[in-house]
């Protein structure tokens, strides 16, 4: 039975770390010659079979390593089915042994002269590292075997469920976990190496799971886990195992994974202005301006609230411009830690900093050369990077981190923000000269509440796409729901409309969506309810949002404390990076370790 499948994510992470450190391609293959992990030239071969009569097969058969293999000088390589297509210059392969049997191999390979030179110069170190990786994987498997002894009589079940791209749990009649696959471990955030999972009561892991035969029908449910709650689509079916008798097979997917696919409305076609749904005057004016902008090469600044479709507009401008046959590259300036953002934008030379890829990296500017670079959330770009961006726009040249050679780039810039850049300039958080460079063609994207009856047009379009992607019969909105949608204020714009309809499609039991199928917060409260008008009348949306964030952070700090561990927990609960949390705490002056409190 393949334990390596259950460690697939961990082995892939280890392979990528080793590959970037040693400048070598790494792959791990199980005893069935199925590739579990791979980097570089091996990456696209993950989950595929290695060729027959290859070196891996020999190592698995003999349990002995094969070091410093050059294919032209090796008889096994000459008999390999892939011999004439293989472009490996040199390789070394080590067995992964468990209970006296080889259950897989780990291999280093070089495909160019630079990699080959490194392998030759540090041959002994590479041998030792290869052996250590093999031992690390084997030790993980020993721990798994001690904590989670799988049922060897049903080894083939374990093999089958690990090839299924859904979370799979097989539960005994008395609620004990008999089998689990790698996808389930990932969705449930379980560590198979160090947690006892096999033979554990399922109710210990999922607090509110009701196991009833669903007769091949999918159910949407909320599962309470130890560290988080998740929304899943699942079904439960009875099966009979030879040794264990009656059991239940639970197949499931996180609903967020499904709806990520469902929200990709453009499918494989290019996004154009015809992809934008709406007939209101405000949205048609924005489209007209964007069409004009598409036919020139000037910088565009898209402004508007979050969720108004800025990236769709940016894509449409690119795809109707004379750059449409070149790349459209997007980067969110708010989602990347400040210390990495410069490298993402401009790239870096090899060895530029600790932990850098020894091969160096091409930045977004170079990737977008002769195409379009979309800078989303430009208002969150750190001040020290604003001057470098200004220079890149003005001089059409960049310099990589750790480099001093100017690189010419021909890039069309489209920037977007939900923030008031003029206000940021006044607060000295945004450069005035950069603002003028970006604000050549400003286009305001209207919020959903400014778009009159477009709410219903968008709703119908989103409903059809959701139902199709989630394999549901096409649903329609009741008159009561339509009225509710039109009266609602939509602070989250299109994105919030998508979420509301996603919820409704998941929970409605008939083809007609009624108010009872909408989220509780939506149908049980008017959007203007509980709003203190005296409090908000002199504050803008940005300031109100900050006030709300401050209250959330204060609540969590008061409840959990401000230790590093507490902040990690807070970041996880809020689904933001630890770097973002620290930045916001600093902005709001709420780090009590430095003697500061939340300021309002």
């Amino acid at each position: 039975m393949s334990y390596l499948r259950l460690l697939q994510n961990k082995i892939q992470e280890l392979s990528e770390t080793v590959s970037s450190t040693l400048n070598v391609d790494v792959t791990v293959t199980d005893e069935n010659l199925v590739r579990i992990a791979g980097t570089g030239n091996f990456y696209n071969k993950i989950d595929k079979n290695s060729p027959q009569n290859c070196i891996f097969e020999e190592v698995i058969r003999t349990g002995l390593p094969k070091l410093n293999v050059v294919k032209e000088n090796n008889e096994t390589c000459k008999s390999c089915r892939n011999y004439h297509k293989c472009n490996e210059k040199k390789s070394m392969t080590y067995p992964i042994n468990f209970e006296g049997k080889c259950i897989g191999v780990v291999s280093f390979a070089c495909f160019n002269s630079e990699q080959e030179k490194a392998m030759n110069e540090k041959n002994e170190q590479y041998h030792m590292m290869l052996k250590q990786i093999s031992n690390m994987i084997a030790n993980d498997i020993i721990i798994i075997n001690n904590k989670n002894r799988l049922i060897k009589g049903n080894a083939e079940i374990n093999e089958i469920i690990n090839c299924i791209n859904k979370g799979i749990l097989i539960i005994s009649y008395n609620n004990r976990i008999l089998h689990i696959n790698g996808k389930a471990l990932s969705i449930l955030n379980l560590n198979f190496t160090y947690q006892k999972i096999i033979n554990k009561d399922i109710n210990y892991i999922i607090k509110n799971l009701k196991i009833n035969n669903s007769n091949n029908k999918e159910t949407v449910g909320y599962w309470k886990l130890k560290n988080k709650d998740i929304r899943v689509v699942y079904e439960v079916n009875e099966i009979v195992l030879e040794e264990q008798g009656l059991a239940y097979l639970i197949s499931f997917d996180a609903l967020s994974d499904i709806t990520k696919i469902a929200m990709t409305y453009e499918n494989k076609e290019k996004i154009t202005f015809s992809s934008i749904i709406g007939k209101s005057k405000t949205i048609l004016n924005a489209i007209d301006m964007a069409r004009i902008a598409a036919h020139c090469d000037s910088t565009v600044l898209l402004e508007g609230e979050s969720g108004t479709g800025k990236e769709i507009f940016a894509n449409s401008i690119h795809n109707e411009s004379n750059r449409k046959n070149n790349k459209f590259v997007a980067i969110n300036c708010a989602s990347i830690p400040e210390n990495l953002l410069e490298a993402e934008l401009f790239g870096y030379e090899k060895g530029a900093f600790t932990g850098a890829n020894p091969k160096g990296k091409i930045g977004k500017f170079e990737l977008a050369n002769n195409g379009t670079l979309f800078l989303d959330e430009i208002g969150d770009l750190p001040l020290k990077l604003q001057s470098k961006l200004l220079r890149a726009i003005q001089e059409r040249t960049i310099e990589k981190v750790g480099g001093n050679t100017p690189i010419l780039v021909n890039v069309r810039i489209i920037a977007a923000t939900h923030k008031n850049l003029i206000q940021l300039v006044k607060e000295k958080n945004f450069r005035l000269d950069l603002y003028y460079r970006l604000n050549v063609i400003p286009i305001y994207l209207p919020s959903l509440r400014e778009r009159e009856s477009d709410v219903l047009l968008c709703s119908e379009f989103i409903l059809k796409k959701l139902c199709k992607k989630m394999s549901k019969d096409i649903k329609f909105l009741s008159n009561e729901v339509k009225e509710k949608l039109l009266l609602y204020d939509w602070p989250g714009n299109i994105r919030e409309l998508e979420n509301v309809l996603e919820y409704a499609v998941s929970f409605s039991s008939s083809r007609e969506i009624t108010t009872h199928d909408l989220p509780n917060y939506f149908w049980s409260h008017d959007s203007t309810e509980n709003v203190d008008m005296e409090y908000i009348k002199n504050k803008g949306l940005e300031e109100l949002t900050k006030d709300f964030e401050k209250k959330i952070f204060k609540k969590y700090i008061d409840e959990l404390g401000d230790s590093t561990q507490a902040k990690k927990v807070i970041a996880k609960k809020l689904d933001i990076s630890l770097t973002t949390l620290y930045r916001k705490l600093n902005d709001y002056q709420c780090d009590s370790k430095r003697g500061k409190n939340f300021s309002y």
Side-chain angles (χ1 to χ4, degrees):
M1 91 183 59
S2 176
Y3 284 108
L4 296 180
R5 279 271 185 190
L6 292 166
L7 289 169
Q8 189 167 24
N9 290 341
K10 188 173 183 179
I11 292 173
Q12 179 64 24
E13 288 178 8
L14 176 62
S15 299
E16 289 173 357
T17 301
V18 172
S19 176
S20 63
T21 304
L22 299 184
N23 188 20
V24 68
D25 285 350
V26 182
T27 188
V28 175
T29 302
D30 72 9
E31 60 192 301
N32 301 312
L33 295 180
V34 176
R35 208 176 298 273
I36 300 298
T39 68
N41 287 272
F42 298 123
Y43 182 79
N44 291 327
K45 299 175 182 177
I46 294 173
D47 291 330
K48 296 180 181 178
N49 289 324
S50 299
Q52 292 180 344
N53 301 323
C54 64
I55 284 288
F56 299 164
E57 190 174 39
E58 181 183 346
V59 173
I60 289 168
R61 186 180 70 253
T62 64
L64 300 173
K66 295 290 290 185
L67 305 175
N68 303 320
V69 172
V70 178
K71 71 170 189 175
E72 291 82 4
N73 304 331
N74 186 276
E75 292 303 316
T76 300
C77 286
K78 289 178 181 178
S79 65
C80 175
R81 288 181 59 184
N82 199 44
Y83 178 76
H84 295 291
K85 297 179 181 178
C86 177
N87 55 358
E88 291 181 23
K89 288 182 172 292
K90 195 172 186 178
S91 69
M92 50 179 68
T93 304
Y94 209 90
I96 302 170
N97 294 313
F98 174 65
E99 293 185 340
K101 179 186 175 185
C102 180
I103 61 168
V105 300
V106 55
S107 181
F108 291 171
C110 46
F111 291 85
N112 57 51
S113 54
E114 186 182 347
Q115 289 179 324
E116 186 179 21
K117 181 182 178 183
M119 187 177 283
N120 289 334
E121 289 177 352
K122 300 179 180 179
N123 202 262
E124 283 299 317
Q125 293 97 313
Y126 277 42
H127 289 180
M128 290 301 297
M129 180 62 76
L130 194 65
K131 184 177 180 180
Q132 286 174 6
I133 293 169
S134 170
N135 289 338
M136 286 170 65
I137 295 171
N139 287 337
D140 271 354
I141 292 169
I142 290 169
I143 296 170
I144 287 173
N145 191 56
N146 290 337
K147 286 183 175 290
N148 294 290
R149 202 169 274 277
L150 298 184
I151 303 162
K152 295 189 177 180
N154 290 315
E156 68 279 3
I157 294 176
N158 189 50
E159 294 295 333
I160 292 168
I161 68 173
N162 269 300
C163 295
I164 297 173
N165 193 31
K166 268 194 169 189
I168 301 290
L169 283 163
I170 298 180
I171 312 296
S172 69
Y173 71 94
N174 60 348
N175 293 339
R176 297 286 170 179
I177 300 173
L178 302 176
H179 294 276
I180 187 169
N181 72 348
K183 181 73 181 286
L185 291 170
S186 176
I187 294 173
L188 300 175
N189 195 28
L190 298 173
N191 187 327
F192 198 67
T193 307
Y194 296 104
Q195 289 176 265
K196 178 175 171 56
I197 295 168
I198 300 302
N199 209 36
K200 184 175 281 293
D201 191 318
I202 186 62
N203 294 305
Y204 180 82
I205 294 171
I206 305 172
K207 299 297 183 186
N208 56 342
L209 174 62
K210 295 178 181 178
I211 302 178
N212 297 309
N213 191 345
S214 61
N215 296 314
N216 295 312
K217 290 184 179 179
E218 288 187 333
T219 303
V220 176
Y222 280 95
W223 287 359
K224 289 188 70 67
L225 310 180
K226 190 171 184 180
N227 296 321
K228 63 176 181 177
D229 294 350
I230 60 170
R231 194 143 53 105
V232 295
V233 176
Y234 71 101
E235 61 180 87
V236 182
N237 291 290
E238 292 181 354
I239 60 172
V240 178
L241 301 179
E242 287 185 10
E243 295 183 8
Q244 286 74 37
L246 180 65
Y248 296 95
L249 187 150
I250 305 171
S251 61
F252 62 96
D253 260 312
L255 198 57
S256 58
D257 292 341
I258 296 171
T259 53
K260 279 176 187 172
I261 299 169
M263 291 303 147
T264 309
Y265 298 141
E266 65 275 14
N267 299 320
K268 294 183 180 178
E269 299 175 7
K270 283 189 174 181
I271 299 173
T272 62
F273 291 110
S274 61
S275 308
I276 301 169
I277 307 301
K279 293 182 179 179
S280 64
K281 185 177 179 180
T282 51
I283 196 67
L284 291 178
N285 285 342
I287 291 172
D288 287 343
M289 284 195 68
R291 280 188 190 277
I292 296 169
H295 295 291
C296 65
D297 221 22
S298 302
T299 301
V300 175
L301 179 62
L302 301 173
E303 299 176 287
E305 296 176 11
S306 294
T308 49
K310 298 185 204 64
E311 187 158 1
I312 292 177
F313 266 81
N315 263 288
S316 300
I317 292 169
H318 170 78
N319 288 326
E320 294 200 13
S321 73
N322 58 6
R323 295 174 178 262
K324 63 185 176 185
N325 294 322
N326 296 308
K327 285 188 176 181
F328 175 88
V329 178
I331 182 170
N332 188 312
C333 300
S335 64
I336 299 172
E338 184 175 333
N339 61 330
L340 298 179
L341 187 54
E342 183 178 5
E344 284 294 318
L345 280 170
F346 305 108
Y348 58 80
E349 298 288 358
K350 58 183 180 181
F353 51 86
T354 303
N357 189 320
K359 299 176 184 178
K361 182 177 180 178
I362 292 176
K364 302 297 186 189
F365 264 92
E366 279 190 273
L367 284 173
N369 195 31
N370 297 318
T372 302
L373 178 61
F374 176 51
L375 302 172
D376 199 7
E377 302 296 359
I378 192 68
D380 289 286
L381 189 70
L383 266 173
K384 69 177 185 179
L385 283 183
Q386 291 177 23
S387 57
K388 195 164 184 178
L389 175 61
L390 179 65
R391 182 188 171 199
I393 296 172
Q394 289 180 161
E395 301 179 12
R396 293 182 174 269
T397 62
I398 62 166
E399 285 183 10
K400 291 185 176 182
V401 176
N404 52 21
T405 305
I407 300 169
L408 284 171
V409 287
N410 175 17
V411 173
R412 198 261 179 94
I413 299 289
I414 300 177
T417 181
H418 72 280
K419 294 187 174 181
N420 185 331
L421 294 187
I422 288 293
Q423 184 62 34
L424 291 180
V425 169
K426 291 178 181 177
E427 295 169 357
K428 301 191 183 303
N429 288 322
F430 203 85
R431 292 178 63 114
L432 182 61
D433 46 5
L434 177 58
Y435 170 74
Y436 284 127
R437 279 287 173 184
L438 296 174
N439 197 43
V440 179
I441 301 180
I443 300 175
Y444 173 74
L445 304 189
S447 62
L448 196 53
R449 61 186 168 276
E450 298 173 89
R451 292 175 55 181
E452 303 156 12
S453 60
D454 281 355
V455 173
L456 298 184
L457 274 175
C458 292
S459 298
E460 289 173 10
F461 179 77
I462 293 168
L463 266 181
K464 287 177 183 177
K465 291 292 182 179
L466 275 171
C467 292
K468 183 179 178 181
K469 291 290 183 181
M470 298 171 73
S471 300
K472 302 270 190 179
D473 291 335
I474 297 297
K475 297 179 182 290
F476 61 91
L477 304 174
S478 69
N479 290 334
E480 191 179 1
V481 168
K482 287 180 181 179
E483 184 180 350
K484 191 71 178 174
L485 296 183
L486 289 170
L487 290 173
Y488 189 64
D489 203 35
W490 298 111
N493 293 297
I494 295 289
R495 195 174 295 126
E496 185 179 9
L497 176 60
E498 290 169 346
N499 291 341
V500 168
L501 292 175
E502 169 202 329
Y503 183 99
V505 170
S506 300
F507 283 93
S508 61
S509 56
S510 66
R511 292 190 62 189
E512 183 182 48
I513 292 176
T514 69
T515 54
H516 296 291
D517 300 318
L518 301 177
N520 287 341
Y521 84 88
F522 185 85
W523 66 265
S524 60
H525 297 91
D526 288 329
S527 60
T528 55
E529 209 172 78
N530 299 324
V531 175
D532 184 346
M533 295 305 297
E534 284 300 314
Y535 171 68
I536 71 170
K537 68 180 181 181
N538 294 318
K539 295 194 174 192
L541 181 62
E542 189 71 26
E543 192 175 357
L544 289 167
T545 303
K546 286 183 178 180
D547 284 353
F548 184 62
E549 281 190 349
K550 288 177 189 177
K551 289 175 182 176
I552 292 173
F553 292 137
K554 184 177 188 304
K555 180 180 183 298
Y556 275 123
I557 293 287
D558 289 346
E559 181 183 334
L560 301 173
D562 62 356
S563 66
T564 301
Q565 187 58 40
K567 286 170 183 170
K568 287 179 180 178
V569 173
I570 294 169
K572 190 169 184 178
K573 283 179 177 290
L574 294 174
D575 195 24
I576 59 175
S577 69
L578 190 59
T579 305
T580 300
L581 178 64
Y582 273 110
R583 176 168 56 80
K584 286 182 176 290
L585 291 177
N586 184 60
D587 289 345
Y588 299 149
Q589 298 182 343
C590 49
D591 189 344
S592 64
K593 282 188 175 180
R594 289 182 291 177
K596 297 179 179 179
N597 297 315
F598 283 85
S599 58
Y600 286 96

